[in-house]
Structure formats: structure tokens, C-alpha cells
mmCIF file of all heavy atoms in Angstrom:
data_model
loop_
_atom_site.group_PDB
_atom_site.id
_atom_site.type_symbol
_atom_site.label_atom_id
_atom_site.label_comp_id
_atom_site.label_asym_id
_atom_site.label_seq_id
_atom_site.Cartn_x
_atom_site.Cartn_y
_atom_site.Cartn_z
ATOM 1 N N GLY W 1198 2.878 13.238 0.194
ATOM 2 C CA GLY W 1198 2.438 12.117 0.810
ATOM 3 C C GLY W 1198 1.779 12.542 2.243
ATOM 4 O O GLY W 1198 2.290 13.377 2.881
ATOM 5 N N ILE W 1199 0.666 11.914 2.599
ATOM 6 C CA ILE W 1199 -0.156 12.407 3.673
ATOM 7 C C ILE W 1199 -0.563 11.357 4.635
ATOM 8 O O ILE W 1199 -0.968 10.269 4.341
ATOM 9 C CB ILE W 1199 -1.402 13.079 3.068
ATOM 10 C CG1 ILE W 1199 -1.094 14.162 2.050
ATOM 11 C CG2 ILE W 1199 -2.322 13.598 4.125
ATOM 12 C CD1 ILE W 1199 -2.170 14.533 1.081
ATOM 13 N N ILE W 1200 -0.404 11.707 5.993
ATOM 14 C CA ILE W 1200 -1.192 11.085 6.996
ATOM 15 C C ILE W 1200 -1.887 12.171 7.829
ATOM 16 O O ILE W 1200 -1.275 12.949 8.434
ATOM 17 C CB ILE W 1200 -0.260 10.228 7.980
ATOM 18 C CG1 ILE W 1200 0.473 9.076 7.324
ATOM 19 C CG2 ILE W 1200 -1.061 9.677 9.136
ATOM 20 C CD1 ILE W 1200 1.352 8.345 8.321
ATOM 21 N N ILE W 1201 -3.319 12.074 7.683
ATOM 22 C CA ILE W 1201 -4.024 12.990 8.527
ATOM 23 C C ILE W 1201 -5.070 12.209 9.339
ATOM 24 O O ILE W 1201 -5.857 11.489 8.655
ATOM 25 C CB ILE W 1201 -4.697 14.068 7.687
ATOM 26 C CG1 ILE W 1201 -3.648 14.936 6.973
ATOM 27 C CG2 ILE W 1201 -5.602 14.938 8.520
ATOM 28 C CD1 ILE W 1201 -4.227 16.168 6.145
ATOM 29 N N GLU W 1202 -5.003 12.215 10.683
ATOM 30 C CA GLU W 1202 -5.891 11.434 11.507
ATOM 31 C C GLU W 1202 -5.589 10.055 11.274
ATOM 32 O O GLU W 1202 -4.585 9.665 10.750
ATOM 33 C CB GLU W 1202 -7.338 11.851 11.207
ATOM 34 C CG GLU W 1202 -7.640 13.309 11.743
ATOM 35 C CD GLU W 1202 -8.983 13.865 11.343
ATOM 36 O OE1 GLU W 1202 -9.522 13.342 10.336
ATOM 37 O OE2 GLU W 1202 -9.396 14.742 12.038
ATOM 38 N N SER W 1203 -6.502 9.090 11.690
ATOM 39 C CA SER W 1203 -6.203 7.618 11.628
ATOM 40 C C SER W 1203 -6.148 7.242 10.147
ATOM 41 O O SER W 1203 -7.190 7.557 9.430
ATOM 42 C CB SER W 1203 -7.128 6.802 12.338
ATOM 43 O OG SER W 1203 -7.056 7.092 13.673
ATOM 44 N N PRO W 1204 -5.125 6.507 9.625
ATOM 45 C CA PRO W 1204 -5.235 6.066 8.265
ATOM 46 C C PRO W 1204 -6.426 5.138 7.979
ATOM 47 O O PRO W 1204 -6.617 4.292 8.783
ATOM 48 C CB PRO W 1204 -3.905 5.294 8.088
ATOM 49 C CG PRO W 1204 -2.994 5.746 9.204
ATOM 50 C CD PRO W 1204 -3.926 6.204 10.264
ATOM 51 N N GLY W 1205 -7.150 5.365 6.959
ATOM 52 C CA GLY W 1205 -8.274 4.613 6.615
ATOM 53 C C GLY W 1205 -7.978 3.510 5.594
ATOM 54 O O GLY W 1205 -7.641 3.752 4.561
ATOM 55 N N PHE W 1206 -8.217 2.210 6.001
ATOM 56 C CA PHE W 1206 -7.917 1.114 5.128
ATOM 57 C C PHE W 1206 -9.091 0.131 5.149
ATOM 58 O O PHE W 1206 -9.909 0.170 6.072
ATOM 59 C CB PHE W 1206 -6.676 0.417 5.553
ATOM 60 C CG PHE W 1206 -5.410 1.181 5.476
ATOM 61 C CD1 PHE W 1206 -4.733 1.554 6.607
ATOM 62 C CD2 PHE W 1206 -4.877 1.556 4.217
ATOM 63 C CE1 PHE W 1206 -3.516 2.331 6.546
ATOM 64 C CE2 PHE W 1206 -3.690 2.273 4.170
ATOM 65 C CZ PHE W 1206 -3.092 2.723 5.251
ATOM 66 N N LEU W 1207 -9.164 -0.758 4.104
ATOM 67 C CA LEU W 1207 -10.136 -1.795 4.019
ATOM 68 C C LEU W 1207 -9.898 -2.844 4.977
ATOM 69 O O LEU W 1207 -8.780 -3.510 4.760
ATOM 70 C CB LEU W 1207 -10.316 -2.185 2.506
ATOM 71 C CG LEU W 1207 -10.821 -1.102 1.522
ATOM 72 C CD1 LEU W 1207 -10.736 -1.767 0.116
ATOM 73 C CD2 LEU W 1207 -12.258 -0.707 1.818
ATOM 74 N N PRO W 1208 -10.739 -3.176 5.904
ATOM 75 C CA PRO W 1208 -10.276 -4.126 7.068
ATOM 76 C C PRO W 1208 -10.144 -5.533 6.527
ATOM 77 O O PRO W 1208 -9.447 -6.321 7.191
ATOM 78 C CB PRO W 1208 -11.441 -3.925 7.980
ATOM 79 C CG PRO W 1208 -12.559 -3.385 7.267
ATOM 80 C CD PRO W 1208 -12.000 -2.542 6.168
ATOM 81 N N ASN W 1209 -10.746 -5.936 5.423
ATOM 82 C CA ASN W 1209 -10.775 -7.344 4.953
ATOM 83 C C ASN W 1209 -9.695 -7.619 3.877
ATOM 84 O O ASN W 1209 -9.726 -8.552 3.238
ATOM 85 C CB ASN W 1209 -12.188 -7.651 4.382
ATOM 86 C CG ASN W 1209 -13.219 -7.775 5.543
ATOM 87 O OD1 ASN W 1209 -12.972 -7.986 6.667
ATOM 88 N ND2 ASN W 1209 -14.416 -7.269 5.160
ATOM 89 N N TYR W 1210 -8.854 -6.560 3.709
ATOM 90 C CA TYR W 1210 -7.687 -6.700 2.770
ATOM 91 C C TYR W 1210 -6.379 -6.731 3.539
ATOM 92 O O TYR W 1210 -6.290 -6.123 4.605
ATOM 93 C CB TYR W 1210 -7.631 -5.482 1.829
ATOM 94 C CG TYR W 1210 -8.553 -5.554 0.651
ATOM 95 C CD1 TYR W 1210 -9.986 -5.787 0.838
ATOM 96 C CD2 TYR W 1210 -8.206 -5.379 -0.668
ATOM 97 C CE1 TYR W 1210 -10.869 -5.824 -0.234
ATOM 98 C CE2 TYR W 1210 -9.087 -5.458 -1.735
ATOM 99 C CZ TYR W 1210 -10.405 -5.666 -1.551
ATOM 100 O OH TYR W 1210 -11.320 -5.780 -2.559
ATOM 101 N N SER W 1211 -5.427 -7.421 2.937
ATOM 102 C CA SER W 1211 -4.087 -7.325 3.604
ATOM 103 C C SER W 1211 -3.478 -5.947 3.389
ATOM 104 O O SER W 1211 -3.994 -5.152 2.577
ATOM 105 C CB SER W 1211 -3.144 -8.366 2.959
ATOM 106 O OG SER W 1211 -2.929 -7.957 1.539
ATOM 107 N N GLY W 1212 -2.386 -5.698 4.069
ATOM 108 C CA GLY W 1212 -1.661 -4.429 3.913
ATOM 109 C C GLY W 1212 -1.293 -4.160 2.473
ATOM 110 O O GLY W 1212 -1.451 -3.029 1.821
ATOM 111 N N TYR W 1213 -0.726 -5.200 1.857
ATOM 112 C CA TYR W 1213 -0.267 -5.132 0.495
ATOM 113 C C TYR W 1213 -1.361 -4.803 -0.431
ATOM 114 O O TYR W 1213 -1.304 -3.935 -1.389
ATOM 115 C CB TYR W 1213 0.541 -6.350 0.115
ATOM 116 C CG TYR W 1213 0.786 -6.408 -1.394
ATOM 117 C CD1 TYR W 1213 1.871 -5.671 -2.001
ATOM 118 C CD2 TYR W 1213 -0.051 -7.080 -2.382
ATOM 119 C CE1 TYR W 1213 2.113 -5.629 -3.352
ATOM 120 C CE2 TYR W 1213 0.227 -7.050 -3.731
ATOM 121 C CZ TYR W 1213 1.333 -6.364 -4.172
ATOM 122 O OH TYR W 1213 1.623 -6.328 -5.531
ATOM 123 N N ASN W 1214 -2.530 -5.488 -0.269
ATOM 124 C CA ASN W 1214 -3.620 -5.361 -1.238
ATOM 125 C C ASN W 1214 -4.293 -3.952 -0.963
ATOM 126 O O ASN W 1214 -4.785 -3.345 -1.981
ATOM 127 C CB ASN W 1214 -4.666 -6.506 -1.034
ATOM 128 C CG ASN W 1214 -4.205 -7.749 -1.734
ATOM 129 O OD1 ASN W 1214 -3.402 -7.726 -2.652
ATOM 130 N ND2 ASN W 1214 -4.650 -8.823 -1.171
ATOM 131 N N ASN W 1215 -4.225 -3.407 0.222
ATOM 132 C CA ASN W 1215 -4.718 -2.063 0.406
ATOM 133 C C ASN W 1215 -3.874 -1.074 -0.329
ATOM 134 O O ASN W 1215 -4.449 -0.235 -1.041
ATOM 135 C CB ASN W 1215 -4.695 -1.705 1.829
ATOM 136 C CG ASN W 1215 -6.064 -1.939 2.594
ATOM 137 O OD1 ASN W 1215 -6.897 -1.103 2.451
ATOM 138 N ND2 ASN W 1215 -6.139 -2.999 3.315
ATOM 139 N N LEU W 1216 -2.598 -1.188 -0.283
ATOM 140 C CA LEU W 1216 -1.752 -0.221 -0.999
ATOM 141 C C LEU W 1216 -1.749 -0.437 -2.414
ATOM 142 O O LEU W 1216 -1.723 0.549 -3.232
ATOM 143 C CB LEU W 1216 -0.189 -0.339 -0.409
ATOM 144 C CG LEU W 1216 -0.075 0.060 1.073
ATOM 145 C CD1 LEU W 1216 1.401 0.370 1.171
ATOM 146 C CD2 LEU W 1216 -0.896 1.126 1.556
ATOM 147 N N LYS W 1217 -1.838 -1.671 -2.885
ATOM 148 C CA LYS W 1217 -2.028 -2.002 -4.305
ATOM 149 C C LYS W 1217 -3.200 -1.277 -4.929
ATOM 150 O O LYS W 1217 -3.172 -0.702 -5.964
ATOM 151 C CB LYS W 1217 -2.054 -3.414 -4.557
ATOM 152 C CG LYS W 1217 -2.044 -3.864 -6.041
ATOM 153 C CD LYS W 1217 -2.145 -5.397 -6.119
ATOM 154 C CE LYS W 1217 -2.466 -5.888 -7.464
ATOM 155 N NZ LYS W 1217 -2.769 -7.389 -7.511
ATOM 156 N N LEU W 1218 -4.401 -1.271 -4.194
ATOM 157 C CA LEU W 1218 -5.573 -0.698 -4.632
ATOM 158 C C LEU W 1218 -5.409 0.725 -4.704
ATOM 159 O O LEU W 1218 -5.821 1.510 -5.698
ATOM 160 C CB LEU W 1218 -6.739 -1.072 -3.604
ATOM 161 C CG LEU W 1218 -8.119 -0.795 -3.980
ATOM 162 C CD1 LEU W 1218 -8.550 -1.482 -5.200
ATOM 163 C CD2 LEU W 1218 -9.054 -1.042 -2.890
ATOM 164 N N LEU W 1219 -4.817 1.366 -3.645
ATOM 165 C CA LEU W 1219 -4.545 2.834 -3.726
ATOM 166 C C LEU W 1219 -3.697 3.279 -4.778
ATOM 167 O O LEU W 1219 -3.760 4.292 -5.393
ATOM 168 C CB LEU W 1219 -3.975 3.298 -2.308
ATOM 169 C CG LEU W 1219 -5.004 3.246 -1.152
ATOM 170 C CD1 LEU W 1219 -4.305 3.233 0.152
ATOM 171 C CD2 LEU W 1219 -6.068 4.297 -1.323
ATOM 172 N N ALA W 1220 -2.597 2.455 -5.038
ATOM 173 C CA ALA W 1220 -1.609 2.779 -6.118
ATOM 174 C C ALA W 1220 -2.257 2.677 -7.530
ATOM 175 O O ALA W 1220 -1.724 3.371 -8.387
ATOM 176 C CB ALA W 1220 -0.428 1.732 -6.038
ATOM 177 N N SER W 1221 -3.310 1.926 -7.650
ATOM 178 C CA SER W 1221 -3.951 1.789 -8.918
ATOM 179 C C SER W 1221 -4.637 3.131 -9.323
ATOM 180 O O SER W 1221 -5.065 3.297 -10.520
ATOM 181 C CB SER W 1221 -5.019 0.594 -8.878
ATOM 182 O OG SER W 1221 -6.093 0.929 -8.076
ATOM 183 N N ILE W 1222 -4.857 4.005 -8.411
ATOM 184 C CA ILE W 1222 -5.518 5.225 -8.783
ATOM 185 C C ILE W 1222 -4.699 6.147 -9.699
ATOM 186 O O ILE W 1222 -5.150 6.646 -10.673
ATOM 187 C CB ILE W 1222 -5.782 6.067 -7.497
ATOM 188 C CG1 ILE W 1222 -6.916 5.251 -6.586
ATOM 189 C CG2 ILE W 1222 -6.378 7.430 -7.917
ATOM 190 C CD1 ILE W 1222 -6.951 5.861 -5.240
ATOM 191 N N LYS W 1223 -3.323 6.153 -9.446
ATOM 192 C CA LYS W 1223 -2.464 6.996 -10.205
ATOM 193 C C LYS W 1223 -1.577 6.228 -11.222
ATOM 194 O O LYS W 1223 -1.021 6.787 -12.147
ATOM 195 C CB LYS W 1223 -1.530 7.859 -9.330
ATOM 196 C CG LYS W 1223 -2.209 8.909 -8.473
ATOM 197 C CD LYS W 1223 -1.278 9.672 -7.696
ATOM 198 C CE LYS W 1223 -1.940 10.685 -6.817
ATOM 199 N NZ LYS W 1223 -1.013 11.444 -5.835
ATOM 200 N N HIS W 1224 -1.440 4.909 -11.011
ATOM 201 C CA HIS W 1224 -0.673 4.006 -11.836
ATOM 202 C C HIS W 1224 0.711 4.576 -11.979
ATOM 203 O O HIS W 1224 1.404 4.546 -13.049
ATOM 204 C CB HIS W 1224 -1.273 3.973 -13.268
ATOM 205 C CG HIS W 1224 -2.631 3.340 -13.266
ATOM 206 N ND1 HIS W 1224 -2.855 1.969 -13.028
ATOM 207 C CD2 HIS W 1224 -3.941 3.873 -13.522
ATOM 208 C CE1 HIS W 1224 -4.175 1.727 -13.130
ATOM 209 N NE2 HIS W 1224 -4.762 2.886 -13.423
ATOM 210 N N LYS W 1225 1.338 5.105 -10.879
ATOM 211 C CA LYS W 1225 2.713 5.601 -10.890
ATOM 212 C C LYS W 1225 3.700 4.616 -10.538
ATOM 213 O O LYS W 1225 4.902 4.732 -10.862
ATOM 214 C CB LYS W 1225 2.802 6.848 -9.954
ATOM 215 C CG LYS W 1225 2.238 8.109 -10.397
ATOM 216 C CD LYS W 1225 2.341 9.221 -9.404
ATOM 217 C CE LYS W 1225 3.740 9.679 -9.087
ATOM 218 N NZ LYS W 1225 3.834 10.818 -8.237
ATOM 219 N N ILE W 1226 3.377 3.575 -9.841
ATOM 220 C CA ILE W 1226 4.288 2.687 -9.232
ATOM 221 C C ILE W 1226 3.913 1.168 -9.532
ATOM 222 O O ILE W 1226 2.725 0.773 -9.742
ATOM 223 C CB ILE W 1226 4.527 2.898 -7.710
ATOM 224 C CG1 ILE W 1226 3.128 2.727 -6.896
ATOM 225 C CG2 ILE W 1226 5.165 4.262 -7.413
ATOM 226 C CD1 ILE W 1226 3.240 2.877 -5.404
ATOM 227 N N ASN W 1227 4.929 0.324 -9.454
ATOM 228 C CA ASN W 1227 4.699 -1.115 -9.696
ATOM 229 C C ASN W 1227 4.644 -1.856 -8.322
ATOM 230 O O ASN W 1227 4.830 -1.362 -7.311
ATOM 231 C CB ASN W 1227 5.757 -1.705 -10.662
ATOM 232 C CG ASN W 1227 7.191 -1.544 -10.007
ATOM 233 O OD1 ASN W 1227 7.392 -1.495 -8.848
ATOM 234 N ND2 ASN W 1227 8.128 -1.498 -10.883
ATOM 235 N N LYS W 1228 4.352 -3.158 -8.459
ATOM 236 C CA LYS W 1228 4.230 -3.999 -7.242
ATOM 237 C C LYS W 1228 5.447 -4.064 -6.469
ATOM 238 O O LYS W 1228 5.383 -4.002 -5.117
ATOM 239 C CB LYS W 1228 3.902 -5.505 -7.727
ATOM 240 C CG LYS W 1228 2.530 -5.658 -8.386
ATOM 241 C CD LYS W 1228 2.269 -7.044 -8.854
ATOM 242 C CE LYS W 1228 0.952 -7.187 -9.514
ATOM 243 N NZ LYS W 1228 0.751 -8.511 -10.097
ATOM 244 N N GLU W 1229 6.617 -4.031 -6.979
ATOM 245 C CA GLU W 1229 7.806 -4.134 -6.254
ATOM 246 C C GLU W 1229 8.113 -2.855 -5.478
ATOM 247 O O GLU W 1229 8.568 -2.895 -4.371
ATOM 248 C CB GLU W 1229 9.077 -4.339 -7.198
ATOM 249 C CG GLU W 1229 10.269 -4.815 -6.540
ATOM 250 C CD GLU W 1229 10.004 -6.167 -5.731
ATOM 251 O OE1 GLU W 1229 9.296 -7.025 -6.235
ATOM 252 O OE2 GLU W 1229 10.433 -6.121 -4.584
ATOM 253 N N THR W 1230 7.691 -1.632 -5.925
ATOM 254 C CA THR W 1230 7.789 -0.348 -5.245
ATOM 255 C C THR W 1230 6.869 -0.461 -4.051
ATOM 256 O O THR W 1230 7.222 0.090 -2.921
ATOM 257 C CB THR W 1230 7.417 0.746 -6.121
ATOM 258 O OG1 THR W 1230 8.255 0.707 -7.302
ATOM 259 C CG2 THR W 1230 7.642 2.078 -5.460
ATOM 260 N N ILE W 1231 5.682 -0.966 -4.234
ATOM 261 C CA ILE W 1231 4.756 -1.152 -3.044
ATOM 262 C C ILE W 1231 5.333 -2.057 -1.979
ATOM 263 O O ILE W 1231 5.311 -1.701 -0.770
ATOM 264 C CB ILE W 1231 3.337 -1.691 -3.519
ATOM 265 C CG1 ILE W 1231 2.710 -0.756 -4.560
ATOM 266 C CG2 ILE W 1231 2.475 -1.916 -2.356
ATOM 267 C CD1 ILE W 1231 1.510 -1.328 -5.258
ATOM 268 N N ARG W 1232 5.848 -3.134 -2.416
ATOM 269 C CA ARG W 1232 6.481 -4.130 -1.459
ATOM 270 C C ARG W 1232 7.566 -3.481 -0.688
ATOM 271 O O ARG W 1232 7.872 -3.638 0.482
ATOM 272 C CB ARG W 1232 6.908 -5.363 -2.204
ATOM 273 C CG ARG W 1232 5.801 -6.282 -2.740
ATOM 274 C CD ARG W 1232 6.443 -7.392 -3.708
ATOM 275 N NE ARG W 1232 7.388 -8.126 -3.005
ATOM 276 C CZ ARG W 1232 7.074 -9.120 -2.166
ATOM 277 N NH1 ARG W 1232 5.817 -9.394 -1.852
ATOM 278 N NH2 ARG W 1232 8.058 -9.794 -1.487
ATOM 279 N N ASN W 1233 8.438 -2.747 -1.374
ATOM 280 C CA ASN W 1233 9.497 -1.991 -0.791
ATOM 281 C C ASN W 1233 9.170 -1.014 0.213
ATOM 282 O O ASN W 1233 9.735 -0.890 1.371
ATOM 283 C CB ASN W 1233 10.439 -1.376 -1.901
ATOM 284 C CG ASN W 1233 11.605 -0.677 -1.388
ATOM 285 O OD1 ASN W 1233 12.418 -1.179 -0.605
ATOM 286 N ND2 ASN W 1233 11.837 0.608 -1.690
ATOM 287 N N ALA W 1234 8.093 -0.190 -0.071
ATOM 288 C CA ALA W 1234 7.547 0.789 0.951
ATOM 289 C C ALA W 1234 7.103 -0.033 2.203
ATOM 290 O O ALA W 1234 7.312 0.554 3.294
ATOM 291 C CB ALA W 1234 6.429 1.474 0.273
ATOM 292 N N ILE W 1235 6.400 -1.103 2.057
ATOM 293 C CA ILE W 1235 5.981 -1.860 3.223
ATOM 294 C C ILE W 1235 7.112 -2.411 4.010
ATOM 295 O O ILE W 1235 7.160 -2.258 5.319
ATOM 296 C CB ILE W 1235 4.999 -2.986 2.834
ATOM 297 C CG1 ILE W 1235 3.798 -2.456 2.108
ATOM 298 C CG2 ILE W 1235 4.681 -3.868 3.931
ATOM 299 C CD1 ILE W 1235 2.865 -3.462 1.420
ATOM 300 N N SER W 1236 8.159 -2.876 3.261
ATOM 301 C CA SER W 1236 9.308 -3.375 4.065
ATOM 302 C C SER W 1236 10.039 -2.263 4.803
ATOM 303 O O SER W 1236 10.488 -2.458 5.908
ATOM 304 C CB SER W 1236 10.307 -4.046 3.066
ATOM 305 O OG SER W 1236 9.635 -5.139 2.522
ATOM 306 N N ARG W 1237 10.076 -1.043 4.253
ATOM 307 C CA ARG W 1237 10.834 0.001 4.776
ATOM 308 C C ARG W 1237 10.343 0.477 6.119
ATOM 309 O O ARG W 1237 11.010 1.094 6.964
ATOM 310 C CB ARG W 1237 10.867 1.206 3.716
ATOM 311 C CG ARG W 1237 11.801 1.005 2.636
ATOM 312 C CD ARG W 1237 11.708 2.082 1.579
ATOM 313 N NE ARG W 1237 12.487 3.264 2.016
ATOM 314 C CZ ARG W 1237 12.378 4.437 1.421
ATOM 315 N NH1 ARG W 1237 11.583 4.606 0.396
ATOM 316 N NH2 ARG W 1237 13.070 5.487 1.868
ATOM 317 N N VAL W 1238 8.990 0.237 6.290
ATOM 318 C CA VAL W 1238 8.354 0.690 7.541
ATOM 319 C C VAL W 1238 8.326 -0.430 8.565
ATOM 320 O O VAL W 1238 7.657 -0.330 9.630
ATOM 321 C CB VAL W 1238 6.941 1.348 7.345
ATOM 322 C CG1 VAL W 1238 7.036 2.547 6.577
ATOM 323 C CG2 VAL W 1238 6.012 0.346 6.929
ATOM 324 N N GLY W 1239 8.971 -1.615 8.334
ATOM 325 C CA GLY W 1239 9.042 -2.673 9.216
ATOM 326 C C GLY W 1239 7.882 -3.678 9.159
ATOM 327 O O GLY W 1239 7.611 -4.423 10.110
ATOM 328 N N LEU W 1240 7.122 -3.688 8.094
ATOM 329 C CA LEU W 1240 6.027 -4.723 7.940
ATOM 330 C C LEU W 1240 6.459 -5.653 6.837
ATOM 331 O O LEU W 1240 7.383 -5.505 6.006
ATOM 332 C CB LEU W 1240 4.792 -4.014 7.526
ATOM 333 C CG LEU W 1240 4.090 -2.994 8.481
ATOM 334 C CD1 LEU W 1240 2.862 -2.270 7.958
ATOM 335 C CD2 LEU W 1240 3.661 -3.696 9.740
ATOM 336 N N ASP W 1241 5.781 -6.827 6.863
ATOM 337 C CA ASP W 1241 5.955 -7.926 5.904
ATOM 338 C C ASP W 1241 5.040 -7.793 4.721
ATOM 339 O O ASP W 1241 3.807 -7.977 4.850
ATOM 340 C CB ASP W 1241 5.813 -9.238 6.567
ATOM 341 C CG ASP W 1241 5.987 -10.415 5.670
ATOM 342 O OD1 ASP W 1241 6.422 -10.183 4.493
ATOM 343 O OD2 ASP W 1241 5.742 -11.545 6.097
ATOM 344 N N PRO W 1242 5.605 -7.472 3.458
ATOM 345 C CA PRO W 1242 4.613 -7.348 2.403
ATOM 346 C C PRO W 1242 4.000 -8.629 1.898
ATOM 347 O O PRO W 1242 2.984 -8.602 1.246
ATOM 348 C CB PRO W 1242 5.574 -6.827 1.202
ATOM 349 C CG PRO W 1242 7.013 -7.310 1.672
ATOM 350 C CD PRO W 1242 6.951 -7.202 3.188
ATOM 351 N N ASP W 1243 4.539 -9.754 2.365
ATOM 352 C CA ASP W 1243 3.896 -11.108 1.984
ATOM 353 C C ASP W 1243 2.853 -11.551 3.097
ATOM 354 O O ASP W 1243 2.232 -12.532 2.842
ATOM 355 C CB ASP W 1243 4.984 -12.101 1.896
ATOM 356 C CG ASP W 1243 5.917 -11.863 0.740
ATOM 357 O OD1 ASP W 1243 5.390 -11.519 -0.381
ATOM 358 O OD2 ASP W 1243 7.099 -12.007 0.900
#
């Protein structure tokens, strides 16, 4: 897992939708896992 320089996200998407799009590249995780990751860092997945 990587953070190098400023994380680049699509500005017109929500945080959840940004991560959902990135997760679709590898198809390793489901929606609940994405939501859990967002919650763990103190953000609201909804």
C-alpha cells in the first residue's frame, strides 16, 4: 500500500466512490471492506 506525494483523486467523486473505482482495478475487495477502510481513518463512508 502506497502514499507518495499528494494522493490523487477525482475531485467530482465522493471519497467512497473514488476508492470503489480504484478497487475495481484488482477486484480484490468488496464494498464493505472499502467502507471499513474509510471508517478506520476517521472519515464517513456515507
